[in-house]
C-alpha cells in the first residue's frame, strides 16, 4: 500500500527555521516525483515545487522560488520542505503528494496527511 | 500563466440532487491536462477525475467530467452525503511543468 507519512504539527516564531518531512513507503520512492502543496487557513491549494528523489532534481513554482527549499534523502525514502526564516504568512497546512505520470499528464495520486505549521510570536 | 476560475464559489444542494461545477481557464487547455480533486474537511485532497473525463481508481460513476478548450465541468449525478466537500480543478503544464489549481467550489448541504 502506497503511503506518505508527514511529520507532526509545528509551532514556531517568526525568524526561526524549520524542516518538515514526508516519508514514502509501499512503492519505489526513487522512481516518482514528490510535490509539496500549501493550503493557507480557509484557502485553496497552491503548488510549491517538486523533487525527483532519484537524483534530487528539483523544480519550484515561481511563487515559491527562493522562499523555501525542497530536498530528499533517498536512503530513507524521505522528502523535505524547509524554511530558513519563517514569517507569519507561512502559517498553513502543507501537503506532500506523489506525482504519477498518466498518459501525457502528471497527477498527484497519493497524498500525505498534511503538516500544520503555525508561525506566531 | 494560465489562471483557473471556478464557479460557483458555493453550491448549496440536497442529497440526491445533481451538482454541476464549472472550471474556466484563461486560455485554451488540452483536455488531457485537466484534473479534479475533492477535499473533505480535515482531510487531504483526493484525485477524482483526470484527462477531463477519466475517473481515478475507486471513484464512483456518479462523478463525471467533461469539457474542452477553456470550459470544463464536473458533474455529480446524485449527491450522496459523503460528497459534500470542496472541489478543485487543476491544470497541468508540461513546459515548464506547472500544476495550477483553481480556487475551489464548496458543495454544502442545503
Amino acid at each position: 500500500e502506497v503511503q506518505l507519512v508527514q511529520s507532526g504539527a509545528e509551532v514556531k516564531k517568526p525568524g526561526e527555521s524549520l524542516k518538515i518531512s514526508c516519508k514514502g513507503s509501499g512503492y519505489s520512492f526513487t522512481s516518482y516525483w514528490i510535490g509539496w502543496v500549501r493550503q493557507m487557513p480557509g484557502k485553496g491549494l497552491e503548488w510549491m515545487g517538486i523533487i525527483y528523489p532519484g537524483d534530487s532534481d528539483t523544480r519550484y513554482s515561481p511563487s515559491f522560488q527562493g522562499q523555501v527549499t525542497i530536498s530528499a534523502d533517498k536512503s530513507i525514502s524521505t522528502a523535505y520542505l524547509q524554511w530558513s526564516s519563517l514569517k507569519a504568512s507561512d502559517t498553513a497546512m502543507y501537503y506532500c503528494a506523489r506525482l504519477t505520470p498518466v498518459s501525457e499528464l502528471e497527477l498527484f495520486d497519493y497524498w500525505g496527511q498534511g503538516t500544520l505549521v503555525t508561525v506566531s510570536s | 500563466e494560465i489562471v483557473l476560475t471556478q464557479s460557483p464559489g458555493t453550491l448549496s444542494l440536497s442529497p440526491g440532487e445533481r451538482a454541476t461545477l464549472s472550471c474556466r481557464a484563461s486560455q485554451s487547455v488540452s483536455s488531457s491536462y485537466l484534473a479534479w480533486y475533492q477535499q473533505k474537511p480535515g482531510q487531504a485532497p483526493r484525485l477524482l477525475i483526470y484527462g477531463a473525463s477519466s475517473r481515478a481508481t475507486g471513484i464512483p460513476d456518479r462523478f463525471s467530467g467533461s469539457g474542452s478548450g477553456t470550459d470544463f465541468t464536473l458533474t455529480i449525478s446524485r449527491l450522496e452525503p459523503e460528497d459534500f466537500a470542496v472541489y478543485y480543478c487543476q491544470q497541468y503544464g508540461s513546459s515548464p511543468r506547472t500544476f495550477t489549481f483553481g480556487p475551489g467550489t464548496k458543495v454544502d448541504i442545503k
Side-chain angles (χ1 to χ4, degrees):
Chain A
E1 178 194 7
V2 174
Q3 283 194 309
L4 295 172
V5 178
Q6 298 185 231
S7 51
E10 301 274 1
V11 180
K12 292 289 190 178
K13 291 181 168 39
E16 291 185 332
S17 63
L18 176 64
K19 192 174 189 177
I20 63 175
S21 66
C22 168
K23 183 174 176 60
S25 62
Y27 73 101
S28 175
F29 186 74
T30 54
S31 300
Y32 291 82
W33 291 78
I34 290 281
W36 286 94
V37 175
R38 182 176 79 174
Q39 186 167 39
M40 298 178 77
K43 302 298 184 184
L45 305 171
E46 301 172 271
W47 164 67
M48 302 176 72
I50 55 175
I51 187 165
Y52 190 72
D55 61 6
S56 290
D57 186 7
T58 308
R59 314 289 171 87
Y60 292 93
S61 162
S63 300
F64 291 91
Q65 179 82 48
Q67 307 304 307
V68 296
T69 301
I70 294 171
S71 61
D73 184 341
K74 62 184 179 182
S75 69
I76 55 171
S77 300
T78 301
Y80 301 97
L81 177 66
Q82 70 180 87
W83 297 259
S84 58
S85 180
L86 286 160
K87 303 184 280 287
S89 57
D90 293 317
T91 295
M93 182 71 81
Y94 293 89
Y95 293 101
C96 64
R98 190 182 79 164
L99 203 52
T100 291
V102 176
S103 186
E104 303 169 84
L105 179 60
E106 293 182 278
L107 300 165
F108 292 117
D109 62 344
Y110 287 92
W111 293 68
Q113 82 278 18
T115 296
L116 180 63
V117 174
T118 303
V119 184
S120 174
S121 54
Chain B
E1 178 191 349
I2 294 177
V3 176
L4 299 177
T5 304
Q6 291 187 243
S7 61
T10 302
L11 194 54
S12 296
L13 296 168
S14 300
E17 289 193 296
R18 181 184 187 89
T20 303
L21 288 65
S22 173
C23 175
R24 178 163 289 177
S26 58
Q27 56 187 277
S28 185
V29 172
S30 167
S31 59
S32 299
Y33 291 174
L34 197 287
W36 290 90
Y37 294 80
Q38 175 195 64
Q39 187 178 32
K40 297 179 183 179
Q43 295 186 18
R46 176 175 71 147
L47 176 65
L48 285 181
I49 301 283
Y50 63 93
S53 60
S54 298
R55 279 186 296 278
T57 303
I59 301 303
D61 60 7
R62 63 180 181 273
F63 291 92
S64 63
S66 63
S68 63
T70 59
D71 292 299
F72 298 89
T73 300
L74 174 69
T75 301
I76 311 170
S77 58
R78 288 178 57 84
L79 282 163
E80 296 288 341
E82 63 268 27
D83 299 337
F84 291 92
V86 180
Y87 293 84
Y88 296 94
C89 58
Q90 182 232 319
Q91 182 265 336
Y92 166 71
S94 60
S95 185
R97 290 156 82 196
T98 56
F99 304 87
T100 305
F101 290 93
T105 290
K106 182 179 182 180
V107 179
D108 66 13
I109 299 177
K110 189 172 182 180

